[in-house]
Amino acid sequence: MHAALELTNLAKSYRKHQAVQDLNLAVQKGELFGFLGPNGAGKTTTIKMLTGLLEPTNGSAEISGIDIWQHPLKAKEKLAYVPDQPNLYPKLTGWDYLEFVASVFQLQKDWFQERANELLASFNLTEQANDLIESYSHGMKQKIALCGALIHEPDVLFMDEPTVGLDPKSARTLKNLLQQLCASGMTVFLSTHILEIAEEMCDRVGIIYEGEVIALGTMDELRGGDDADKSLEDIFLELTGGEDQQAIISEMTNHGDAT
């Protein structure tokens, strides 16, 4: 049986700069996987390669056993991507936007309408569905982008910095939703530079630093069994050289500066 997501020697370089170096990783069906690292570590570059937006310099990526670059249309039927700043159509209503996404995936009308109404209700957007997206707050835009991402029931949902701009209540709602989706069999690949989010939400965490995965496992595995109270912050400091990385840790634990 194929992993939901499999990376083999995946790499991206720009001239002499290695943005991502030979990533090897498998994420299983139903897993909520956290891809963690400071800004500039290679998280977004990796997600763009996994979603077919950026061609790798080397290696391959498969979604449910389908190579994203050899069979792009077939692979993209199996995935959805919500970037940190969703690029939506401001002059469409929320409902128009969902209809547009459904048309791209050629969803049957009756099935789409039932699914859309369920999603809008779960995000408390039913009353705003006929408002123009340009009138939405950042949090509402993120929610309608998520509705659009989930409308075709993808195997793998990619999210880049999903809690940026969300208030604490919306962030908790998102956390609960993602855990429900994973319980139903969807796989979530979530990138963040905020340690607490990865620690609270994810089944397993991969830490990327300067384009390389330097640690991979559950929180217990990353702690190494030595200290049950060791935080992700402690682990990150140990892995990246301690005192020299205080500025990075400060950035990753300062929620107010999340960008």
Side-chain angles (χ1 to χ4, degrees):
M1 185 175 168
H2 293 292
L5 176 64
E6 191 152 11
L7 289 58
T8 307
N9 297 324
L10 195 68
K12 182 66 179 178
S13 57
Y14 300 95
R15 297 180 183 168
K16 292 183 179 179
H17 174 60
Q18 276 283 104
V20 173
Q21 304 182 47
D22 294 333
L23 296 189
N24 289 282
L25 174 66
V27 180
Q28 302 305 318
K29 180 179 171 65
E31 189 171 5
L32 207 172
F33 184 85
F35 199 46
L36 179 69
N39 289 331
K43 301 187 303 297
T44 298
T45 299
T46 301
I47 283 187
K48 285 186 173 179
M49 288 192 285
L50 298 179
T51 51
L53 295 173
L54 191 62
E55 190 166 4
T57 309
N58 188 43
S60 64
E62 293 184 353
I63 309 286
S64 300
I66 302 164
D67 189 294
I68 187 74
W69 286 98
Q70 290 181 6
H71 307 286
L73 288 178
K74 197 173 175 187
K76 287 174 186 177
E77 289 176 0
K78 304 284 187 183
L79 65 85
Y81 173 43
V82 180
D84 57 343
Q85 297 290 338
N87 193 5
L88 304 167
Y89 299 98
K91 297 299 182 186
L92 292 183
T93 66
W95 185 265
D96 290 340
Y97 172 70
L98 296 184
E99 277 194 323
F100 166 69
V101 175
S103 71
V104 170
F105 287 98
Q106 300 179 331
L107 302 181
Q108 289 185 347
K109 187 175 181 181
D110 290 349
W111 189 91
F112 154 71
Q113 288 183 331
E114 184 179 342
R115 177 83 175 140
N117 281 317
E118 284 175 6
L119 287 166
L120 289 166
S122 69
F123 283 101
N124 296 317
L125 284 177
T126 303
E127 291 183 11
Q128 291 83 24
N130 293 314
D131 296 343
L132 293 179
I133 288 173
E134 67 182 2
S135 72
Y136 285 11
S137 66
H138 175 83
M140 288 166 65
K141 286 176 182 174
Q142 197 151 34
K143 289 175 184 178
I144 199 71
L146 253 174
C147 290
L150 297 172
I151 201 81
H152 68 290
E153 297 189 326
D155 288 357
V156 183
L157 172 64
F158 292 93
M159 302 193 73
D160 197 1
E161 303 286 359
T163 58
V164 168
L166 292 186
D167 59 73
K169 184 181 178 185
S170 295
R172 180 158 292 279
T173 301
L174 177 64
K175 171 187 169 182
N176 293 340
L177 173 83
L178 294 180
Q179 289 173 333
Q180 287 169 18
L181 291 171
C182 289
S184 70
M186 191 179 293
T187 301
V188 175
F189 187 98
L190 176 156
S191 90
T192 183
H193 70 284
I194 301 174
L195 294 161
E196 186 182 15
I197 288 169
E199 196 160 10
E200 278 190 8
M201 292 177 67
C202 300
D203 300 317
R204 204 160 51 109
V205 170
I207 298 176
I208 186 170
Y209 183 66
E210 295 184 350
E212 293 186 76
V213 172
I214 57 172
L216 181 65
T218 64
M219 282 304 302
D220 285 343
E221 288 167 347
L222 293 179
R223 290 185 183 111
D226 298 333
D227 185 353
D229 296 325
K230 192 185 289 184
S231 70
L232 199 51
E233 180 177 336
D234 297 329
I235 293 163
F236 193 92
L237 280 168
E238 286 175 14
L239 290 168
T240 55
E243 298 303 315
D244 293 343
Q245 305 308 327
Q246 286 293 347
I248 289 171
I249 285 294
S250 173
E251 171 205 332
M252 294 171 72
T253 52
N254 188 341
H255 297 203
D257 291 344
T259 56

